[in-house]
Amino acid sequence: MKIIIRFQINKIKANSSGKCSIRCRITYNKIRKEFSTGLFINPDSWDSRQQTAEPPTEQNSIINKQLSLIENIIR
């Protein structure tokens, strides 16, 4: 069985500063569970193909490290 972990942003529900929440979707045996990571990002800085924050700035590096930690905990 394969666990699929994807990170997505919710562009529709941006907060007052224009940042979107990053959500994590886990798929296992064709069953999906989704939860919020508690992280927020500017939608222009999100690379949906790589599922990372770009370009490499201090804030984006922190976000990428947090996402990596979440993924490692799940696996």
Side-chain angles (χ1 to χ4, degrees), residues 5 9-10 14 20 22 30 34 36 38 42 47 54 57 61 69:
I5 302 169
I9 63 170
N10 192 353
C20 301
I22 301 175
K30 299 182 182 178
E34 194 169 325
S36 177
N42 184 334
D47 182 357
E54 299 289 336
T57 63
S61 294
L69 284 172

Side-chain angles (χ1 to χ4, degrees), residues 46-61:
W46 183 249
D47 182 357
S48 60
R49 285 188 181 262
Q50 297 294 322
Q51 299 179 33
T52 58
E54 299 289 336
T57 63
E58 184 177 345
Q59 183 64 31
N60 288 346
S61 294

Side-chain angles (χ1 to χ4, degrees), residues 8-23 34 36 39-43:
Q8 302 171 328
I9 63 170
N10 192 353
K11 289 184 181 180
I12 296 170
K13 294 186 178 181
N15 63 14
S16 60
S17 63
K19 293 188 176 184
C20 301
S21 66
I22 301 175
R23 299 190 55 81
E34 194 169 325
S36 177
L39 301 171
F40 290 86
I41 189 168
N42 184 334

